[in-house]
Amino acid sequence: MTEPALEEIQDEDYIAEPPGHRLHAVVPPGVVGQRLDIVLAAVWPQYSRARLQDWLRAGRVKVDEAVASDTRRRTFTGERLELDPDAPAPDTVHAPQDIPLDIIHEDDTLLVVSKPAGMVVHPGNGVPDGTLLNALLHHRPALAQIPRAGIVHRLDKDTTGLLVVACTLEAQTDLVRQLQARTVSRRYIAVVSGAVRADGVVDAPIGRHPVHRTRMAVVPTGRPARTHYAVRDRLRDATALECRLETGRTHQIRVHMASIGHPLLGDDTYAPRPVAAQFDRQALHAWRLGLIHPKSGADVAWEVPLPDDLVQLIDSLRASR
């Protein structure tokens, strides 16, 4: 298996752009004298401050009909603000492709899909097409108007399971903020090497490996990362775990489990060769996804069963223990 080039996902990469129309407001009394970017975030809270700063630098904000690009500019009483969120469609550079999607749920606000093994989520180095993003653009062409075609989180190429996609800019911003606030619940089944004695938590920062730059590692300078795990089944020389993420770092479960001496079966990046050879991909499946619906405000959740290859792996290890 060939691991695609790492794409370190930062939360601000996923903050949605708003609908394409000019917005107008007057500086409200409560924020007079504040920095312009702070005022914009107060006036239009549906958009992230990071996105508004980008628009400022791009010249898409006017104050009293004059372009204002300095985020530190102070505001005055009665100044008229204009925001032009029109921008070229962010994903028109990627071609829609008629690739089958396993759609678990779809409405006018969001889309939940079950990703198969072998599918890359977003085009990148060495993977120009054939991705989930290309499939989404074919299934729902309007997603071309949303950054990353509405994708707000991702799974590794050979990890299976649930992903949520925003169908509107407002929903994308909402889902990104839920990810930041950790109100999105993501649960995985992982089959790891060795006998895990008890449930536990790995609380260890993750960043680029200091030597192998295409890998991640537990490093003191990394970003905070926290993974809860619970024993689901004891197998021959292996354990089936349920893992719950508090954070969503690149390769988080794979790195954390390897760091405590229990790498995933089939993981040819983080497991020793004998462990990697026991399965033809990392044994990881995102089986449950829960969040607050951006439109209704209701708690919603979806589940998908284990794929056949993982079922067969667990059954074979259970039968021979």
Side-chain angles (χ1 to χ4, degrees):
M1 292 177 289
T2 301
E3 188 73 27
L6 281 176
E7 180 186 11
E8 179 65 24
I9 302 298
Q10 305 290 337
D11 291 337
E12 55 267 30
D13 287 343
Y14 286 90
I15 292 175
E17 296 189 16
H21 58 273
R22 292 177 184 271
L23 304 175
H24 299 269
V26 174
V27 175
V31 291
V32 169
Q34 295 285 336
R35 287 167 45 130
L36 182 55
D37 59 340
I38 295 173
V39 172
L40 294 175
V43 172
W44 292 299
Q46 67 269 42
Y47 311 129
S48 75
R49 187 169 162 190
R51 180 62 64 183
L52 290 165
Q53 288 173 338
D54 287 343
W55 285 336
L56 268 167
R57 288 188 284 266
R60 290 158 61 180
V61 174
K62 291 183 179 180
V63 178
D64 285 343
E65 300 186 357
V67 173
S69 58
D70 185 357
T71 60
R72 297 169 296 177
R73 179 196 186 281
R74 301 291 170 170
T75 55
F76 298 92
T77 302
E79 285 186 316
R80 292 164 297 165
L81 306 174
E82 179 181 308
L83 172 64
D84 179 11
D86 272 328
D91 280 305
T92 53
V93 294
H94 300 300
Q97 292 180 298
D98 188 4
I99 301 169
L101 288 172
D102 184 1
I103 297 173
I104 306 302
H105 170 86
E106 184 171 14
D107 59 36
D108 61 354
T109 302
L110 52 80
L111 181 68
V112 178
V113 300
S114 183
K115 189 189 82 66
M119 175 181 275
V120 174
V121 171
H122 192 281
N125 292 338
V127 188
D129 53 24
T131 69
L132 176 65
L133 183 143
N134 298 107
L136 289 169
L137 292 175
H138 181 271
H139 174 74
R140 198 155 177 165
L143 290 175
Q145 302 302 318
I146 303 175
R148 296 183 183 269
I151 295 168
V152 295
H153 66 120
R154 69 187 184 101
L155 297 174
D156 295 331
K157 175 184 176 182
D158 290 317
T159 298
T160 55
L162 292 169
L163 279 164
V164 63
V165 177
C167 296
T168 68
L169 291 157
E170 292 82 3
Q172 192 181 47
T173 297
D174 184 272
L175 291 171
V176 167
R177 288 174 175 166
Q178 287 192 51
L179 286 164
Q180 294 170 337
R182 301 180 182 177
T183 59
V184 176
S185 173
R186 290 168 288 173
R187 295 178 184 267
Y188 296 72
I189 298 298
V191 182
V192 304
S193 175
V196 179
R197 294 183 178 181
D199 303 351
V201 180
V202 183
D203 190 349
I206 291 176
R208 294 275 183 177
H209 193 289
V211 177
H212 304 289
R213 302 302 291 172
T214 59
R215 301 183 187 180
M216 306 302 286
V218 169
V219 291
T221 56
R223 301 174 70 197
R226 189 175 177 89
T227 304
H228 299 256
Y229 61 90
V231 175
R232 288 275 296 256
D233 201 352
R234 298 191 183 279
L235 308 167
R236 180 178 58 83
D237 299 326
T239 308
L241 300 177
E242 177 175 316
C243 298
R244 177 172 63 85
L245 295 181
E246 278 194 31
T247 52
R249 307 304 174 215
T250 301
H251 300 173
Q252 179 171 320
I253 292 174
R254 299 164 63 188
V255 171
H256 270 174
M257 291 301 102
S259 76
I260 62 171
H262 296 289
L264 273 65
L265 301 192
D267 192 338
D268 63 359
T269 300
Y270 299 106
R273 187 169 297 176
V275 174
Q278 293 182 49
F279 197 48
D280 61 4
R281 64 178 180 90
Q282 65 261 11
L284 187 61
H285 174 68
W287 78 275
R288 190 177 194 277
L289 175 68
L291 50 88
I292 301 169
H293 195 283
K295 188 172 183 179
S296 70
D299 290 327
V300 290
W302 301 271
E303 298 176 3
V304 288
L306 290 174
D308 290 343
D309 62 346
L310 262 181
V311 171
Q312 293 168 9
L313 172 67
I314 292 172
D315 285 347
S316 68
L317 294 174
R318 185 184 292 125
S320 59
R321 66 186 174 185

